[in-house]
């Protein structure tokens, strides 16, 4: 009768997954409503709440299995059979890859790490998701040569089925057409297959809806994005036209909040996006559309495959070592691995648990393109032979409670994995005048945009910021981070005696939440070229009144627009819009 129990267990786990994805889609679908009603607070709340859905459903499913099947130990034969039965349920499923990951999560919550191999869980996927979109279409084709380019653009906008009308559709179409003519040569030969393929559903995030598509011409595919905004007076308008892989990759950056995309077949959406952003992995694209648990599983598979086809060693990451994290990297793999230290030297006064809370805050918060997202893992096994002696020594000295050496493996009990960036201090050391000026602008923009999102980095040192492949400055050291509204921004008081200004110790006292922006210049502006460029763009950062004004705006419920594209790309709002 074991096969009957195996079948029932498999069905119970899949029921748990189906409930998860049903609820996930329902809250995702609400994003359209919030966008149309300009209810930005509700939109942000849904985006935050959805992040915890997966873990809640895994916990519920584990509770059901323990209650109804009295599970105590991992019966080898039974669980091998459960996996086979589960596999039989998936061929007709529209999210089989997500269902496999859910199965893994449930099993790993139930049983010990020694069972985490392909006999019991789906270390490698069983089913291909390549042709799922054949059953459920995810995009619509448009033929400009047949209907005229302007008419097709209008159709694309209308076919999104927004409940609100476009305020001035003719103006929007004219703006898009003008941008196309500006960016693409008019004499470009059109092949027989020339068409636009546009995803049926917009991608929602913050205050925008993004229409995503590609122009297909012969063997060439040109990605494009049309951001649509709500004028908050009952109408919509097109804000920009973004084209090319780099502009699309910026919109999908790992430093932004996850999109709300209501799709029955996520694998098909990812397959559509992949050729448009060749630098982004499948794991990153699944994560970008809110399926970060599957993104995490897919990333780990990429990592295992990379280990098999590389021979370099894990080493201590370059740059100034942090006080809170041990950071290491594999030079041939573009990510860093961060492990919380057992103890923090003074002046750090916090616990490892508080550091984990900061990372969770970043996961749930709108990252506005300026904070790196991370994947969080438990019990990760690395081949011991691939660790440099220096790295093993560092981990043993600073993270002994979080790592063990088991035979030929190093097992790290808890770590974060982030995309590798060039630390800003290292970038500056070899930068020319133009790059220094660019870094100063970007660094100031990062500080201001974080402030707009109610985030205060706490520690502004260059080593805590990284430069991405596209030259964006992103914050990645979260242990001192707090909400901007928790800070007390103070002016430096006048000294009682003039000679006090020359004293080594300040003449004023500071409470734990006191911040003196006038002090920032002392440690930020030591490099003359950087100082000149920064002061030209961002002098207000040194004024306490500027920070207090940001706090007042946040307390009044103001949500500042932070767009994932340059101001130069924006068409500008219609004359009668709020923006």
């Amino acid at each position: 009768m074991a096969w009957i129990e195996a079948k029932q267990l498999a069905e119970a786990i899949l029921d748990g997954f189906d409930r998860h994805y049903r609820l996930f889609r329902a809250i995702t679908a609400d994003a359209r409503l919030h966008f149309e009603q300009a209810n930005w607070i509700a939109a942000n709340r849904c985006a935050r709440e959805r992040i915890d859905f997966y873990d809640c459903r895994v916990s519920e499913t584990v509770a059901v299995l323990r209650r109804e099947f009295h599970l105590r130990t991992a019966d080898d034969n039974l669980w091998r059979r459960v996996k086979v039965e589960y596999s039989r349920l998936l061929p007709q499923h529209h999210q089989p890859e997500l269902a496999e990951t859910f199965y893994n999560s449930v099993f790993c919550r139930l049983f010990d790490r020694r069972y985490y191999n392909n006999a019991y869980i789906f270390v490698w996927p069983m089913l291909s998701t390549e042709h799922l979109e054949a059953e459920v279409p995810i995009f619509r084709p448009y033929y400009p040569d047949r209907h005229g380019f302007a008419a097709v653009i209008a159709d694309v906008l209308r076919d999104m089925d927004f409940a609100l009308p476009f305020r001035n559709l003719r103006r929007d179409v004219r703006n898009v057409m003008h941008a196309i003519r500006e960016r693409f040569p008019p004499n470009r030969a059109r092949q027989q297959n020339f068409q636009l393929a546009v995803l049926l559903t917009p991608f929602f995030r913050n205050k925008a809806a993004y229409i995503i598509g590609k122009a297909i011409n012969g063997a060439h595919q040109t990605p494009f994005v049309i951001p649509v905004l709500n004028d908050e007076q009952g109408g919509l308008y097109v804000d920009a036209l973004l084209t090319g892989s780099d502009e699309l990759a910026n919109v999908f950056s790992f430093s932004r909040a996850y999109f709300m995309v209501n799709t029955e077949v996520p694998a098909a959406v990812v397959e559509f996006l992949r050729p448009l952003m060749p630098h982004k992995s499948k794991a990153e694209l699944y994560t970008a559309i809110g399926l970060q648990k599957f993104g995490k599983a897919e990333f780990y598979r990429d990592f295992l495959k990379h280990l098999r086809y590389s021979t370099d060693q894990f080493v201590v990451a370059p740059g100034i070592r942090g006080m809170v994290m041990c950071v290491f990297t594999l030079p041939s793999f573009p990510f860093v691995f961060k492990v919380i230290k057992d103890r923090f030297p003074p002046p750090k006064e916090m616990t490892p648990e508080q550091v984990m809370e900061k990372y969770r805050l970043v996961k749930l918060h709108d990252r506005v393109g300026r904070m790196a997202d991370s994947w969080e893992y438990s019990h990760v096994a690395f081949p011991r032979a691939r660790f440099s002696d220096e790295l093993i020594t560092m981990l043993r000295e600073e993270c002994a409670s979080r790592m063990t050496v088991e035979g030929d493996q190093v097992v790290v009990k808890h770590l974060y994995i982030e995309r590798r960036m060039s630390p800003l201090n290292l970038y500056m050391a070899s930068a020319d005048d133009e790059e220094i000026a660019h870094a100063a602008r970007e660094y100031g923009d990062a500080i201001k945009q974080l402030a707009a999102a109610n985030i205060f980095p706490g520690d502004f040192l260059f080593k805590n910021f990284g430069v991405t492949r596209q030259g964006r400055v992103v914050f990645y050291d979260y242990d001192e981070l707090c909400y901007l509204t928790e800070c007390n921004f103070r002016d430096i008081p006048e000294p009682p005696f003039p000679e006090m200004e020359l004293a080594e110790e300040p003449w004023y006292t500071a409470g734990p939440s006191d911040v003196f922006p006038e002090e920032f210049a002392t440690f930020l502006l030591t490099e003359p070229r950087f100082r000149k460029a920064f002061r030209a763009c961002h002098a207000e950062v040194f004024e306490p009144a500027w920070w207090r004004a940001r706090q007042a705006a946040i307390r009044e419920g103001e949500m500042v627009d932070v767009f994932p594209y340059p101001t130069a790309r924006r068409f500008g709002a219609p004359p009668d819009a709020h923006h």
Side-chain angles (χ1 to χ4, degrees):
M1 299 300 284
W3 68 271
I4 294 177
E5 189 182 10
K7 192 165 185 294
Q8 289 170 335
L9 274 162
E11 285 169 352
I13 296 170
L14 190 60
D15 283 349
F17 170 74
D18 288 340
R19 171 173 154 74
H20 160 64
Y21 202 67
R22 191 166 60 247
L23 293 170
F24 180 92
R25 282 192 73 186
I27 196 169
T28 301
D30 287 344
R32 176 184 284 268
L33 191 66
H34 300 322
F35 170 75
E36 289 165 349
Q37 294 175 348
N39 190 347
W40 312 129
I41 290 169
N44 271 5
R45 188 183 63 244
C46 285
R48 275 197 313 276
E49 283 176 5
R50 193 182 68 166
I51 289 168
D52 284 332
F53 269 34
Y54 186 91
D55 285 331
C56 291
R57 301 295 91 74
V58 168
S59 297
E60 284 170 12
T61 307
V62 165
V64 166
L65 297 185
R66 283 190 171 136
R67 188 174 65 245
E68 295 187 8
F69 296 91
H70 310 293
L71 297 175
R72 290 290 171 268
T73 56
D75 176 330
D76 290 17
N77 291 330
L78 172 65
W79 281 96
R80 282 197 176 98
R81 192 165 276 173
V82 174
K83 186 185 171 196
V84 170
E85 292 296 337
Y86 195 80
S87 303
R88 287 178 177 158
L89 299 172
L90 298 182
Q92 302 308 311
H93 206 280
H94 284 148
Q95 307 93 35
E97 77 284 30
L98 307 187
E100 286 180 349
T101 300
F102 190 84
Y103 179 95
N104 292 351
S105 298
V106 168
F107 185 90
C108 293
R109 192 78 66 86
L110 282 166
F111 302 115
D112 187 80
R113 195 181 70 80
R114 66 177 176 274
Y115 295 103
Y116 299 177
N117 61 61
N118 214 44
Y120 301 96
I121 61 173
F122 299 92
V123 174
W124 302 104
M126 297 275 284
L127 287 170
S128 164
T129 54
E130 223 170 285
H131 301 294
L132 278 174
E133 84 273 14
E135 286 178 56
V136 183
I138 57 145
F139 68 87
R140 191 180 276 124
Y142 296 87
Y143 301 95
D145 286 347
R146 198 183 299 169
H147 304 291
F149 223 123
V152 158
I153 299 297
D155 285 344
V156 167
L157 298 175
R158 277 192 290 256
D159 286 349
M160 289 298 126
D161 285 334
F162 290 116
L164 295 180
F166 281 85
R167 172 73 63 203
N168 186 337
L169 190 61
R170 283 182 63 188
R171 176 187 182 275
D172 291 333
V173 170
R174 198 165 59 243
N175 282 339
V176 172
M177 292 301 296
H178 178 70
I180 290 170
R181 280 193 289 268
E182 224 174 38
R183 267 172 260 173
F184 299 100
N187 55 356
R188 206 181 194 188
R190 287 193 188 166
Q191 306 297 323
Q192 265 188 315
N193 71 333
F194 180 63
Q195 60 179 282
L196 306 183
V198 181
L199 287 171
L200 292 171
T201 180
F203 286 37
F204 295 93
R205 183 174 65 203
N206 294 344
K207 293 184 173 184
Y210 297 89
I211 299 169
I212 295 174
K214 56 188 174 185
I216 301 164
N217 191 33
H220 293 287
Q221 294 189 2
T222 304
F224 64 86
V225 181
I226 302 175
V228 175
L229 300 185
N230 186 329
D231 67 7
E232 301 187 24
Q233 295 174 325
L236 305 178
Y237 64 95
V238 171
D239 192 49
L241 174 70
L242 311 174
T243 53
S245 292
D246 281 352
E247 294 198 347
L248 192 61
N250 254 341
V251 175
F252 278 80
S253 165
F254 63 87
S255 58
R256 299 190 186 279
Y258 306 135
F259 283 110
M260 307 290 268
V261 191
N262 184 12
T263 174
E264 190 181 343
V265 191
V269 171
V270 168
E271 280 303 312
F272 183 94
L273 294 170
R274 277 184 78 189
L276 308 184
M277 290 176 276
H279 288 289
K280 290 215 177 284
S281 64
K282 231 163 97 169
E284 289 171 294
L285 293 174
Y286 271 100
T287 300
I289 62 172
L291 299 163
Q292 73 272 18
K293 295 292 182 177
F294 180 75
K296 200 173 126 171
E298 194 62 21
F299 174 85
Y300 193 65
R301 287 168 183 152
D302 289 345
F303 174 58
L304 291 176
K305 202 181 294 178
H306 183 86
L307 281 179
R308 191 173 293 171
Y309 291 103
S310 62
T311 57
D312 56 333
Q313 284 203 311
F314 290 93
V315 294
V316 177
I320 299 167
R321 289 197 189 178
M323 299 168 87
V324 166
M325 291 282 194
C326 286
V327 185
F328 61 95
T329 190
L330 187 65
S332 62
F333 194 60
F335 292 85
V336 292
F337 304 80
K338 301 170 82 167
V339 186
I340 301 174
K341 293 183 179 184
D342 291 339
R343 287 169 304 282
F344 311 143
K348 295 285 181 193
E349 293 179 0
M350 54 174 31
T351 63
E353 290 68 32
Q354 286 171 315
V355 175
M356 290 167 74
E357 271 306 307
K358 303 282 187 185
Y359 272 80
R360 178 164 165 73
L361 186 158
V362 171
K363 175 70 72 179
L364 295 175
H365 203 80
D366 178 12
R367 291 181 288 281
V368 294
R370 297 298 181 177
M371 290 191 287
D373 190 18
S374 54
W375 285 302
E376 187 177 359
Y377 288 86
S378 300
H379 301 291
V380 180
F382 297 90
R384 166 66 183 90
R386 299 288 291 275
F387 273 48
S388 72
D389 292 339
E390 183 196 11
L391 175 55
I392 282 287
T393 302
M394 179 180 80
L395 292 174
R396 280 193 166 132
E397 285 175 359
E398 310 210 352
C399 313
S401 74
R402 295 177 193 277
M403 59 86 75
T404 54
V405 177
E406 299 176 12
D408 60 355
Q409 292 185 324
V410 175
V411 177
V412 180
K413 293 175 187 170
H414 182 261
L415 56 73
Y416 298 96
I417 301 178
E418 288 172 9
R419 229 190 209 287
R420 189 166 64 221
M421 291 175 268
S422 175
L424 183 56
N425 58 314
L426 297 187
Y427 174 88
M428 301 259 290
S430 59
D432 60 26
D433 290 0
E434 197 178 317
E435 288 165 338
I436 291 272
H438 171 80
R441 276 195 307 275
E442 272 289 308
Y443 174 72
D445 284 343
I447 291 170
K448 287 176 173 176
Q449 288 170 3
L450 288 170
N454 195 19
I455 291 291
F456 184 68
D459 192 340
F460 285 95
L461 292 177
F462 294 157
K463 71 182 180 70
N464 299 327
F465 291 78
V467 183
T468 69
R469 186 177 60 84
Q470 294 178 316
R472 282 180 70 74
V473 169
V474 173
F475 180 55
Y476 55 55
D477 194 319
Y478 305 140
D479 53 279
E480 297 282 343
L481 169 151
C482 65
Y483 290 116
L484 190 79
T485 44
E486 292 173 356
C487 299
N488 180 28
F489 292 99
R490 287 177 55 191
D491 296 81
I492 294 177
E494 287 293 318
F497 311 106
E499 56 271 21
M500 281 186 149
E501 285 195 74
L502 304 173
E504 282 186 21
E505 293 297 316
W507 61 91
Y508 48 92
T509 55
S513 57
D514 286 351
V515 179
F516 298 91
E518 293 157 273
E519 293 179 339
F520 296 166
T522 312
F523 56 88
L524 295 187
L525 304 184
T526 53
E527 211 279 354
R529 294 170 297 171
F530 188 91
R531 178 168 59 238
K532 185 181 173 190
F534 192 89
R535 281 212 178 275
C537 311
H538 304 297
E540 60 271 42
V541 166
F542 306 117
E543 297 165 11
W546 182 84
W547 292 94
R548 292 194 289 262
R550 301 281 69 69
Q551 289 179 311
I554 290 161
R555 288 185 181 118
E556 285 164 19
E558 183 186 311
M559 268 184 66
V560 177
D561 300 320
V562 179
F563 298 102
Y565 43 91
T567 309
R569 280 282 183 252
R570 300 191 65 197
F571 300 143
D576 53 350
H578 273 190
H579 290 272

